[in-house]
Amino acid sequence: MDIGTLIEEVIEREGGYSHHPADRGGPTNWGITQGVARENGYAGDMRTMPRAVAESIYRRLYWERPGYAFAAEIAPDVAAELFDTAVNMGPAAATGFLQRALNALNRNQKDYPDLTVDRRIGAKTLAALGAFMALRGRGGERVLLKAVEALQGERYIALAESRPANEAFLYGRLANRIG
């Protein structure tokens, strides 16, 4: 797994400059919202934000800081999904989906203890992921991936139900971000 490849895929999917009226994130370029760009030191016009700025933000905020590089050593496909979900929903949401899925798949704590869903990758989450993978292998990783994506899909639908303007994005999110 190469984070550079994952970043390329996200940028390809997100495209260039956008300012959709239903998007609460406001102006976006390369998938980076203006708010995130400003929080990370970019003060220029979003239409001309360099791609390298977006790549740096993706690497730092959505891969390194949440600890997905460590998860990738154990379950690379799950880590790739966590990165993509974090880009779209934030690292806390993505990590929470992983923790909830691991809890639901531990056979009532027979395989490893339940995790506190604190929405952060730490030693206990990595240990649970490692125990799950040791027991279930690559086939189990596919099941865990489905569980994480199911939680993500449910959240997209809930967002569309709670704010009708979000329906403008639902089809594309389900088509491009789930399975």
Side-chain angles (χ1 to χ4, degrees):
M1 152 140 6
D2 174 33
I3 183 56
T5 300
L6 295 176
I7 291 170
E8 286 294 320
E9 290 171 358
V10 164
I11 287 176
E12 183 178 312
R13 198 168 32 255
E14 293 290 341
Y17 179 77
S18 170
H19 188 57
H20 194 287
D23 188 348
R24 288 184 174 174
T28 301
N29 200 351
W30 312 116
I32 302 295
T33 64
Q34 181 171 294
V36 168
R38 299 290 184 258
E39 289 168 9
N40 287 275
Y42 180 73
D45 187 326
M46 287 302 291
R47 286 178 283 251
T48 60
M49 183 177 79
R51 181 183 173 117
V53 170
E55 291 170 353
S56 175
I57 290 170
Y58 281 130
R59 182 179 304 274
R60 191 175 61 260
L61 291 186
Y62 303 107
W63 185 253
E64 293 170 357
R65 189 178 290 171
Y68 298 149
F70 299 113
E73 294 174 14
I74 303 166
D77 293 342
V78 168
E81 179 61 32
L82 293 175
F83 169 75
D84 187 65
T85 303
V87 165
N88 198 253
M89 295 184 165
T95 302
F97 294 158
L98 172 65
Q99 291 170 328
R100 289 178 59 202
L102 285 167
N103 284 347
L105 291 166
N106 71 1
R107 297 183 319 141
N108 296 310
Q109 302 189 69
K110 289 179 185 156
D111 299 332
Y112 48 86
D114 274 343
L115 298 165
T116 300
V117 181
D118 62 6
R119 300 161 47 114
R120 294 183 314 225
I121 295 279
K124 290 179 182 177
T125 299
L126 291 172
L129 181 59
F132 176 84
M133 290 298 294
L135 179 68
R136 300 293 186 174
R138 292 294 163 207
E141 184 177 15
R142 287 189 295 278
V143 170
L144 181 58
L145 186 59
K146 287 179 183 183
V148 169
E149 288 179 337
L151 291 166
Q152 182 183 11
E154 190 283 327
R155 179 146 181 219
Y156 286 135
I157 290 170
L159 288 170
E161 289 172 338
S162 68
R163 182 174 174 257
N166 284 335
E167 288 185 17
F169 308 110
L170 181 61
Y171 183 89
R173 287 175 174 163
L174 293 174
N176 297 311
R177 289 234 145 53
I178 305 297

